[in-house]
Amino acid sequence: VSRIIGGWILGVRRIGKEVIIDVADGPDRPADRWCGVHLRMTGRLLVQGAGDPPNPRPRARFELADGRAVEFADTRRFGTIRVVTDPAELEIPGLDPLSPRFTAAQLGQLIGTSSQPIKVWLLRQDRLVGLGNIYACEICHAARIHPARPARDLSAADLVAVHRHTRRILRRAIANCGTTFADFQDAHGLTGSYQQYLQVYARAGEPCRRCSGPARDKPRILRIVQAGRSTFYCPGCQPD
Ligand SMILES: [Zn+2]
């Protein structure tokens, strides 16, 4: 990490859950090293003004020449920081679902002939980067798709729905402070603003917010385990 001390930050971008900082020797020099901060489950990068009280226990602190600092807060300490000098090392195999290149047709190509349950497939970081367990449950519910359906059996209309809701849910999560969503996954008491949007996640036994009308036999959210992870879905609007 000492290789970036004294360098100029030329740009900051995000690929999935990794934040990439482009670093050069001067403002007019090309970037020749890259710092990747992977947020994993609970990591956050916080900009601190000159007068702000420092975070009690940041994983790392980047001090900027103008007096500000960027702190890497990471309560569960799964996040990583790496510095590489070869940009090829930054290439990650999966596609960023928020990239303009990501289309419903491309989702179908990525799925190919995979017989994995769609909810399990959505978590594959070598296909789509950055989808966590909560997102995958919420996407299946929003798209009205049973989480155990083999991915290859999705119709063209299903693919359009999964594509659309994946982008919508991810955008909203990022707008609501990004990883607040991930924090909530393990700290149910947390008042992450995304919590109010959750339709199925951690709601086992509760009525479905979409299809449980007062006059009807109320479907309740079910919890199953897929590939070792909890899945929540509504048997009413996500039929087999
Ligand atoms: Zn429902």
Side-chain angles (χ1 to χ4, degrees):
V1 174
S2 61
R3 282 179 292 181
I4 60 172
I5 292 173
W8 287 72
I9 296 174
L10 296 188
V12 178
R13 58 215 153 87
R14 178 191 60 79
I15 305 175
K17 279 192 174 178
E18 186 164 34
V19 176
I20 309 291
I21 304 168
D22 307 316
V23 181
D25 281 330
D28 303 320
R29 306 288 297 276
D32 60 1
R33 55 233 197 247
W34 293 266
C35 179
V37 181
H38 202 297
L39 305 177
R40 304 276 179 212
M41 301 195 41
T42 57
R44 269 180 285 188
L45 285 171
L46 307 166
V47 177
Q48 298 276 43
D52 292 343
N55 217 303
R57 263 180 298 175
R59 293 281 305 280
R61 184 177 160 88
F62 302 88
E63 295 185 346
L64 308 181
D66 65 3
R68 290 182 299 168
V70 177
E71 289 185 341
F72 181 36
D74 184 18
T75 50
R76 294 195 61 185
R77 307 181 68 83
F78 289 143
T80 57
I81 298 178
R82 59 182 179 147
V83 175
V84 302
T85 53
D86 179 357
E89 290 180 52
L90 295 172
E91 293 295 326
I92 40 180
L95 182 67
D96 182 350
L98 292 180
S99 154
R101 286 167 42 215
F102 179 53
T103 62
Q106 194 171 29
L107 174 64
Q109 286 168 14
L110 281 172
I111 287 174
T113 58
S114 173
S115 59
Q116 278 185 308
I118 181 61
K119 186 264 179 170
V120 175
W121 187 89
L122 286 171
L123 292 174
R124 285 184 60 171
Q125 300 298 305
D126 63 335
R127 292 294 184 268
L128 293 181
V129 178
L131 286 184
N133 197 41
I134 303 178
Y135 299 85
C137 295
E138 295 291 322
I139 290 164
C140 288
H141 180 260
R144 299 177 186 264
I145 292 169
H146 192 285
R149 273 183 60 192
R152 65 182 177 205
D153 290 352
L154 266 58
S155 68
D158 292 334
L159 292 172
V160 167
V162 170
H163 172 262
R164 180 159 58 90
H165 291 295
T166 296
R167 291 168 69 91
R168 179 182 62 81
I169 285 170
L170 273 185
R171 282 209 190 95
R172 194 165 60 189
I174 288 171
N176 285 277
C177 258
T179 56
T180 303
F181 200 38
D183 279 347
F184 173 72
Q185 184 163 1
D186 299 287
H188 287 220
L190 211 100
T191 54
S193 54
Y194 204 92
Q195 188 176 343
Q196 62 183 297
Y197 297 116
L198 297 178
Q199 300 297 310
V200 287
Y201 188 81
R203 297 192 67 240
E206 295 178 45
C208 178
R209 289 179 170 147
R210 181 164 58 195
C211 70
S212 285
R216 295 166 53 187
D217 189 18
K218 296 179 179 176
R220 302 270 165 175
I221 304 300
L222 297 181
R223 173 184 173 274
I224 57 174
V225 175
Q226 292 181 287
R229 311 287 302 275
S230 288
T231 298
F232 298 89
Y233 75 101
C234 170
C237 53
Q238 296 169 264
D240 268 322

